[in-house]
Amino acid sequence: MRTATAVAHPNIAVCKYWGKRDAALNLPSNGSLSLTLGPWRTTTTVTWDARDDVVLLDGAPARPDEARRVLRLLDLLAPGRPPVRVETHNDLPTAAGLASSASGFAALVLAADAAAGTGLDPNALRVLARRGSGSATRSLDGGWVRWDRGDRPDGHDSHGRPVATPDRLDVRMVVAVVDAGRKHTGSTDGMLHTQATSPFHPTWTTLADADVDAAEAALHAQDLAALGRVMERNTMRMHATYLAADPPGWYLAPKTLLVLAAVRALRDAGVGAWATMDAGPNVKVLCATTDATTVASVLGEVVPTVRVLAPAGPATLLP
Ligand code: PMV
């Protein structure tokens, strides 16, 4: 019996992954760029060669579909593996479009690789994390991470790649929690439905890769305003594709739009703040560290729960 524990942080995409060129392998139809954020984190302990397969989430048995996803990833790591016990603790809302699957699968692959003694290299770990949840390939690294779609059918060229350290920009991500409950449509269902039925999806795919290049250039130039503009237009385009699906879908709630209005009012008042939303109604607002208190207090008038997250480092194994 061998045990290992890993900690990973969630990431929020500045430019979104929204579409799959291969659904089974979680290969994206476009590139994306994210920022790894703390103090939110997932801590996962894997015990290899346990008595039975067990998957616990915050002390209780995981839902059967979630347990299956976890065990399937372990099968990919080590076909014919022994029984494994997985215990995960999230100190962030689970499955609410707040990137819990990203930190979850990043922590899982790191802990499982150590417990199993498989010794995967960093890119193999990133590829394996991607198989669990696409965005997890961006949570093994800290700071700013780019994930390109790649061209290879086997997907070995499609994984997270750090492009700038956490301190590249002195920023915060202020999270306005509109609803911490589970989203009603998961990200995979939402993006596959969009891809299959939205007439806007092909255009999205083309523009999304240009956004990733523009965002990375703004990041290297340390131009927060340029980065913020790309981030906000990118999220609006993503959500527009889903609205135009057949039947239409949306993740945004009435309060989401109130938060967006508050962000625009902040900008009109001269505070640099830009919004992004994922497969859920919550809004994440990028701003300079010096503006984070102002942004948090303004958003706190719209929603009851606001959290200020900071750029974080890579996933790590605990000694
Ligand atoms: O990793 P998944 O399958 O949960 O998909 C994430 C999709 C978005 O959060 C909407 C965008 C992204 O790039 O994180």
Side-chain angles (χ1 to χ4, degrees), residues 7-250:
V7 173
H9 295 286
N11 71 76
I12 296 297
V14 164
C15 294
K16 310 295 186 196
Y17 148 52
W18 193 245
K20 302 188 197 240
R21 69 177 168 92
D22 184 318
L25 295 177
N26 272 346
L27 292 173
S29 53
N30 63 273
S32 56
L33 180 78
S34 63
L35 176 59
T36 300
L37 291 158
W40 278 355
R41 58 188 205 157
T42 297
T43 305
T44 296
T45 298
V46 171
T47 304
W48 207 255
D49 228 342
R51 244 195 356 209
D52 300 297
D53 278 345
V54 176
V55 181
L56 298 174
L57 179 56
D58 292 324
R63 289 189 345 189
D65 57 322
E66 287 171 345
R68 266 195 306 277
R69 266 176 93 183
V70 166
L71 296 172
R72 192 186 67 104
L73 202 71
L74 300 177
D75 294 338
L76 291 172
L77 172 70
R81 64 175 174 81
V84 177
R85 179 182 174 89
V86 177
E87 291 177 72
T88 289
H89 292 277
N90 270 339
D91 75 349
L92 69 165
T94 298
L98 289 167
S100 58
S101 67
S103 53
F105 282 104
L108 177 69
V109 299
L110 199 57
D113 176 61
T118 31
L120 297 189
D121 67 33
N123 279 345
L125 285 173
R126 293 174 181 127
V127 164
L128 185 63
R130 189 203 73 218
R131 298 286 303 269
S133 177
S135 55
T137 193
R138 301 185 309 236
S139 264
L140 281 159
D141 294 284
W144 301 86
V145 181
R146 180 175 174 142
W147 171 24
D148 288 317
R149 77 186 285 283
D151 297 314
R152 288 176 56 147
D154 66 8
H156 288 326
D157 57 351
S158 185
H159 53 74
R161 171 168 61 89
V163 292
T165 54
D167 59 0
R168 181 73 203 176
L169 276 179
D170 191 5
V171 290
R172 293 292 181 266
M173 196 70 91
V174 180
V175 181
V177 182
V178 170
D179 184 350
R182 280 174 185 275
K183 52 202 174 194
H184 65 86
T185 306
S187 45
T188 287
D189 288 347
M191 74 175 86
L192 290 180
H193 175 63
T194 300
Q195 182 170 320
T197 67
S198 175
F200 297 171
H201 194 262
T203 307
W204 151 263
T205 304
T206 315
L207 297 177
D209 278 330
D211 277 352
V212 173
D213 288 336
E216 191 181 343
L219 179 61
H220 291 312
Q222 295 180 300
D223 185 341
L224 174 58
L227 181 67
R229 271 197 307 276
V230 175
M231 182 180 91
E232 203 169 285
R233 80 172 180 225
N234 180 274
T235 198
M236 291 306 187
R237 287 172 182 174
M238 177 202 124
H239 288 275
T241 64
Y242 190 38
L243 273 170
D246 186 14
W250 60 89

